[in-house]
Amino acid sequence: MARGRSVVVGGRTMTLTNLDKVLYPETGTTKGDVLAYYAAVAPWMLPHCKDRAATRKRWANGVDGQVFFEKNLASSAPDWIRHHTIEHTDHDNEYPVVDDLPTLTWMAQQAALELHVPQWRFGPRGGIQRPDRLVLDLDPGDGVGLRECVEVALAAREVLHGMGLDPYPVTSGSKGIHLHAALDGRTTTDQVSEVAHELAKALEQDMPDLVLSSMSRKAREGKVFVDWSQNNGNKTTIAPYSMRGRSTPTVAAPRSWDELADKRLAQLTIDEVVDRVRTMGDLLHPVAAASLAVGRADGGHWDSDRTEEANEHERPGGTGHDRLSAYRAKRDASRTPEPVPSDAPTVRTDGVPTFVIQEHHASALHWDFRLEHDGVLVSWALPKGEPDDPGHNHLAVMTEDHPLEYGGFEGTIPGGQYGGGTVTIWDAGTAEYEKWRDGKEVIVTLHGFSRGDRRLALLHTRGRGGDEKSWLIHRTKEQPGQDPAGPSSSIAEPARPDSTGSGSGAGRAGSHRASRPSDATTSRGASTSSSSTSSTEPTDHRPMLASPVRIPGALTPDDWAFEMKWDGVRALAAVRDGSVTLTSRNGNDLTAQYPELASLAERVGVDAVLDGEIVALDERGRPDFGLLQDRMGLTKPREIAAARKRTPVRYLVFDALEADGHDLRRMTYEHRREALGTVVEPGGAVDVPPAFAGTLDEAMAESLDRGLEGVVAKRRNSRYSDGSRSEAWVKVKHHATQEVVVGGWRPGAGRRAGGIGSLLLGVPGADGLDYVGRVGTGFRDRDLDEIQDVLAGIGADGSPFVDVPRPDARDATWVTPTLVAEVEFAEWTAGGRLRQPSWRGWRPDKHPDEVVREG
């Protein structure tokens, strides 16, 4: 439904489009299904969202595509959506409030599948109130699941009852369980957070073998992390009844305590939840009712003493929480190429923490060591670089926190600016924290893309004659992969930074890989004697998942292998005694849907568990997810047989988890690929695509030429991590760009009031300048000011477009179409519009006549 249809929802007129678009490919759930679900549960969901700032996660192209995290209400949003602005020292955030069905419907139309809200509410004048509920997030680590979460939930209920609180469980729609308890609104955010932290620590003391209260990711395996930080004023929690952007449309669903005792307990889907609320109502209603009553005792008026102004220290992103204020104060964004974000940092939750070491040729050569923590890069300057000898400590001077974007920065800071000189990346990768004591001590294992794994400790020298900024950095005696009884024979020592190396080139020169065991696979069916035996069932495994790329410049072919990214359905294949079982990434049995893949047993010489992608190829031999839709979700043998004739599939194998009874997951990527080549013989419906031989840029060019999505880069020394989204595998996707002609602009709202809100764009066509949409994101504030000055001199009396829609033309200011710009976008819509365009900048080297529609 490209053109959409106009509907009236709760007295508001809006246009609903693309209702048949599939947002959940695995189940075929469409945008129309999403809209229907939110309309059905709105009476029970809205009380939990009322007066709360709503942040959204949007999957415009479905859950297999890119996710967009949004705080601000878009300038294109209807003016009837209620919103409040939170003022910061250098910017404002304008949050929508979801308190009626039209607003909820509009967000579903935007493919905002997930809605997240804080534990506090806005008052009638926009002030931030004290929290009216406490939330604990019981998050299971590897090796545990809902059953263990239930055990912890029952223990937490006893503790909360002793505190006079009555908790209600919610299966999160993801992996774990949330506990909600109503508060009376008398305690501050800091006080609630502190109480929640103490409660988590008490549970850990009572159940040390099962409960974890610290943020350490390393220690989460086999335990349930009690995430008390959900009560921080900066944090949000998935709203009750919100959908999840996962492979299937699961929901954050309120449950009864009796249900938690059921051994068949599982996350619920949208159909199950709709049936529940119609018969059972809202099981979480007591929490919503109690929290809505907070502060209304005085004749229905909120307590003005609890407003945002009276609680600045509690305000999310307020001056007490903006850790980048010192960074911004030292830099002029118009004069340095360094990233200078205007917003306060937001804690990233989409992957493991990262680190970067940058070689900085300033007035004195030094190395900048930066660790991701609490939404920023905590930074130290190392005058002598990273130590490589446990017997010698090096000085580390703490500097101001840096934004996460700085992790990928390389360039020259102009002379006269703070830190003037050349910056290059010496090493970067992921960080695994063993200990983090603010202002005192940090113990971390670095997994470097260029320099490998090593364990370091930082210790503050206060009390030892040092000043507040003085720390020591130490390379510990115990190192990753090292036998405590002796030095490691498989991990090489990373090169020490010195003045002879520079940037990525130095990183390549000093790079290394983990040594292969001497008994590597050499013949079909053989495997290493060092790998442990295994006889697991396929359902005991889950595919390892790739993270979005953070620092593409660090992906060098010495340390990374590059594979094409296939547009299909991920599946694990288990070959046992000549038969094949196919399992989806979430554990569903796919075997009957793809009977031609039973031939895999003939192509594998031993019992094995393999990882790969089921694809359907178009006439050019390219994977086409649209074609694969014909094969998905079928259950009747006759339908499957007919679809098999129309749309044959292939299984592209790219990893081996087991072979001939041996567990290969702890082996390196390169060793597993070598084993894969001896275990699987390509042919028929089975293929083993090779890794690409070349650089990332060359691999991306090859991917683009073949019409593929992009590239998956895999660390050569990485192990296979079941069910984890690891940054040892990263996906690099192509981004579409389009040159456009600017033909007008629309005024902004909120903090953009009185200026430009969005630009109206066109591409020359047969009949004139075809309207292709408007762009309102990607701008910095100063960009909009400069653009307004530029456009002021080329005003026009009428529209330059041949077909601009009436809503976009209503309050537009037209300009002569003489200027060319460039935007990045997700895709072209069926109606010829740019989907999700983002501003990249002007193209003064282009004339409007040279602009053509791309792709």
Side-chain angles (χ1 to χ4, degrees):
M1 189 176 295
R3 295 185 179 276
R5 64 172 179 172
S6 181
V7 297
V8 178
V9 180
R12 303 293 188 183
T13 301
M14 65 184 75
T15 300
L16 303 182
T17 60
N18 299 311
L19 298 183
D20 294 330
K21 184 170 186 177
V22 175
L23 297 182
Y24 292 81
E26 188 163 317
T27 57
T29 305
T30 65
K31 183 193 279 190
D33 297 327
V34 171
L35 284 157
Y37 166 75
Y38 275 122
V41 300
W44 298 275
M45 179 179 183
L46 292 176
H48 298 287
C49 300
K50 182 176 175 56
D51 297 324
R52 300 190 192 274
T55 58
R56 291 87 64 209
K57 294 177 74 172
R58 296 177 55 228
W59 282 266
N61 296 308
V63 295
D64 287 346
Q66 185 177 1
V67 59
F68 298 87
F69 186 79
E70 295 184 340
K71 291 184 179 181
N72 280 303
L73 183 63
S75 59
S76 59
D79 55 11
W80 42 260
I81 291 182
R82 184 171 164 238
H83 57 274
H84 285 298
T85 299
I86 296 180
E87 298 179 358
H88 302 271
T89 55
D90 57 349
H91 74 284
D92 299 336
N93 278 340
E94 187 174 338
Y95 288 92
V97 175
V98 186
D99 55 4
D100 59 20
L101 179 58
T103 300
L104 184 59
T105 302
W106 181 83
M107 289 186 174
Q109 160 63 23
Q110 302 298 309
L113 302 180
E114 291 190 9
L115 302 182
H116 296 249
V117 292
Q119 318 320 336
W120 48 264
R121 298 179 187 267
F122 285 117
R125 293 179 297 279
I128 292 177
Q129 308 300 304
R130 291 182 174 180
D132 53 34
R133 68 184 185 190
L134 177 147
V135 173
L136 294 178
D137 178 6
L138 310 183
D139 183 12
D142 292 341
V144 294
L146 276 178
R147 296 313 315 157
E148 290 76 14
C149 289
V150 169
E151 186 177 348
V152 177
L154 293 171
R157 179 173 65 165
E158 294 302 316
V159 177
L160 288 167
H161 279 167
M163 299 166 56
L165 299 177
D166 194 10
Y168 291 78
V170 175
T171 46
S172 69
S174 179
K175 297 185 299 181
I177 294 174
H178 294 167
L179 296 181
H180 291 238
L183 301 175
D184 61 9
R186 298 179 182 179
T187 48
T188 68
T189 294
D190 290 343
Q191 290 169 335
V192 176
S193 186
E194 183 178 353
V195 168
H197 193 187
E198 292 301 319
L199 189 155
K201 289 193 289 186
L203 290 171
E204 185 177 35
Q205 291 176 353
D206 291 342
M207 311 168 75
D209 294 331
L210 182 59
V211 174
L212 178 71
S213 67
S214 71
M215 300 289 180
S216 171
R217 293 184 178 273
K218 180 179 180 180
R220 291 191 188 181
E221 184 173 358
K223 293 188 176 183
V224 175
F225 171 47
V226 179
D227 187 358
W228 50 272
S229 70
Q230 298 287 311
N231 301 283
N232 186 303
N234 294 301
K235 290 291 192 74
T236 58
T237 303
I238 190 77
Y241 299 104
S242 171
M243 298 178 67
R244 286 287 198 171
R246 299 176 67 82
S247 57
T248 57
T250 51
V251 175
R255 312 297 288 267
S256 70
W257 285 103
D258 287 341
E259 282 184 283
L260 264 61
D262 191 335
K263 294 182 179 179
R264 298 168 297 176
L265 180 71
Q267 303 290 344
L268 298 179
T269 62
I270 54 175
D271 293 335
E272 294 170 314
V273 170
V274 170
D275 290 340
R276 285 169 60 87
V277 294
R278 287 173 176 168
T279 58
M280 303 170 63
D282 179 20
L283 297 178
L284 198 60
H285 175 70
V287 175
S291 63
L292 284 170
V294 169
R296 291 195 171 101
D298 297 331
H301 296 290
W302 291 81
D303 183 354
S304 60
D305 290 338
R306 296 176 186 164
T307 61
E308 175 184 6
E309 292 75 17
N311 292 284
E312 168 67 20
H313 68 282
E314 293 183 45
R315 188 173 69 195
T319 55
H321 290 82
D322 184 359
R323 297 182 58 173
L324 297 180
S325 57
Y327 174 89
R328 281 191 291 268
K330 296 180 177 181
R331 290 163 176 84
D332 183 346
S334 66
R335 301 183 66 184
T336 178
E338 299 165 284
V340 186
S342 58
D343 289 340
T346 300
V347 177
R348 188 176 66 92
T349 60
D350 61 347
V352 298
T354 59
F355 83 93
V356 65
I357 300 176
Q358 288 155 316
E359 187 172 327
H360 194 168
H361 290 262
S363 55
L365 171 64
H366 64 277
W367 287 262
D368 294 313
F369 180 38
R370 312 191 194 282
L371 294 173
E372 179 181 342
H373 187 66
D374 283 348
V376 297
L377 292 174
V378 181
S379 300
W380 293 264
L382 311 180
K384 295 185 178 181
E386 177 190 326
D388 59 7
D389 181 355
H392 294 87
N393 297 329
H394 284 184
L395 175 64
V397 180
M398 179 168 270
T399 61
E400 73 278 5
D401 295 331
H402 283 50
L404 296 184
E405 296 89 337
Y406 213 98
F409 173 66
E410 288 186 299
T412 300
I413 304 170
Q417 298 300 301
Y418 178 77
T422 301
V423 177
T424 55
I425 294 175
W426 185 79
D427 193 15
T430 60
E432 189 175 348
Y433 298 126
E434 183 177 328
K435 182 181 294 186
W436 189 293
R437 299 167 62 208
D438 281 326
K440 296 179 180 179
E441 181 183 14
V442 175
I443 300 178
V444 60
T445 296
L446 305 182
H447 302 290
F449 295 156
S450 298
R451 316 255 170 184
D453 300 345
R454 63 270 199 197
R455 184 170 178 264
L456 301 170
L458 292 116
L459 182 66
H460 194 208
T461 60
R462 182 168 46 199
R464 302 185 182 185
D467 62 27
E468 289 293 315
K469 298 181 179 180
S470 294
W471 292 59
L472 294 176
I473 184 168
H474 170 73
R475 184 181 180 89
T476 64
K477 292 182 179 180
E478 182 182 342
Q479 289 294 306
Q482 183 178 16
D483 188 329
S488 169
S489 60
S490 61
I491 301 293
E493 285 289 320
R496 174 186 177 275
D498 56 40
S499 58
T500 61
S502 178
S504 301
R508 287 191 293 272
S511 65
H512 68 277
R513 305 176 194 164
S515 302
R516 298 179 182 176
S518 58
D519 52 350
T521 305
T522 57
S523 62
R524 182 174 176 82
S527 74
T528 65
S529 60
S530 61
S531 59
S532 59
T533 59
S534 176
S535 59
T536 59
E537 293 300 314
T539 52
D540 292 334
H541 294 301
R542 292 290 184 272
M544 181 174 174
L545 305 178
S547 299
V549 67
R550 296 291 304 277
I551 312 172
L555 305 181
T556 61
D558 283 344
D559 299 290
W560 293 82
F562 306 120
E563 299 178 0
M564 296 294 110
K565 189 176 188 302
W566 308 109
D567 194 13
V569 171
R570 187 79 173 276
L572 295 183
V575 180
R576 296 276 191 264
D577 299 323
S579 64
V580 175
T581 302
L582 298 170
T583 308
S584 71
R585 58 183 284 181
N586 64 342
N588 292 333
D589 192 333
L590 303 178
T591 310
Q593 287 183 238
Y594 305 102
E596 61 264 55
L597 298 186
S599 64
L600 180 63
E602 303 170 5
R603 298 288 169 181
V604 179
V606 296
D607 284 357
V609 177
L610 308 171
D611 191 356
E613 195 96 357
I614 301 172
V615 300
L617 305 181
D618 63 15
E619 65 279 1
R620 297 174 58 185
R622 301 177 304 181
D624 187 329
F625 193 77
L627 287 177
L628 192 60
Q629 297 284 310
D630 187 44
R631 296 295 303 272
M632 296 172 62
L634 303 180
T635 57
K636 298 179 179 179
R638 181 176 299 176
E639 293 177 345
I640 292 171
R644 177 181 177 181
K645 293 180 180 179
R646 293 191 305 267
T647 312
V649 299
R650 295 176 63 82
Y651 186 53
L652 307 183
V653 192
F654 48 72
D655 215 320
L657 284 66
E658 294 182 22
D660 199 19
H662 293 274
D663 188 346
L664 307 181
R665 291 172 296 170
R666 300 311 300 163
M667 299 169 63
T668 65
Y669 162 85
E670 289 193 318
H671 206 156
R672 295 196 313 277
R673 285 291 301 200
E674 186 175 352
L676 182 63
T678 69
V679 169
V680 181
E681 181 179 349
V686 178
D687 198 4
V688 183
F692 183 83
T695 66
L696 174 61
D697 288 344
E698 292 168 341
M700 289 295 288
E702 172 74 9
S703 170
L704 188 62
D705 186 60
R706 294 171 63 176
L708 302 178
E709 284 188 284
V711 167
V712 178
K714 301 180 179 181
R715 286 185 63 190
R716 295 183 182 275
N717 65 353
S718 64
R719 273 61 172 172
Y720 194 97
S721 180
D722 261 21
S724 297
R725 187 172 298 281
S726 170
E727 294 197 11
W729 288 11
V730 295
K731 49 191 175 183
V732 189
K733 301 178 70 174
H734 299 294
H735 294 284
T737 61
Q738 173 67 48
E739 294 170 359
V740 290
V741 180
V742 176
W745 58 273
R746 293 186 63 194
R751 65 189 182 92
R752 291 187 180 177
I756 291 177
S758 60
L759 300 178
L760 307 182
L761 312 175
V763 170
D767 300 320
L769 189 63
D770 293 334
Y771 181 72
V772 296
R774 52 195 173 98
V775 59
T777 61
F779 299 107
R780 297 168 297 180
D781 288 341
R782 73 165 184 265
D783 290 334
L784 292 172
D785 293 337
E786 293 170 359
I787 291 170
Q788 190 156 18
D789 291 340
V790 170
L791 299 185
I794 56 171
D797 294 331
S799 168
F801 303 106
V802 295
D803 57 349
V804 63
R806 181 178 298 174
D808 285 356
R810 181 181 56 209
D811 56 355
T813 298
W814 307 114
V815 300
T816 305
T818 58
L819 299 178
V820 177
E822 184 171 288
V823 296
E824 184 177 281
F825 67 105
E827 63 181 358
W828 287 100
T829 70
R833 302 287 190 259
L834 296 167
R835 191 184 302 281
Q836 299 162 5
S838 179
W839 178 260
R840 287 176 60 87
W842 293 111
R843 289 299 304 266
D845 58 323
K846 296 288 185 178
H847 188 274
D849 293 341
E850 299 177 75
V851 175
V852 297
R853 173 171 164 159
E854 301 286 344

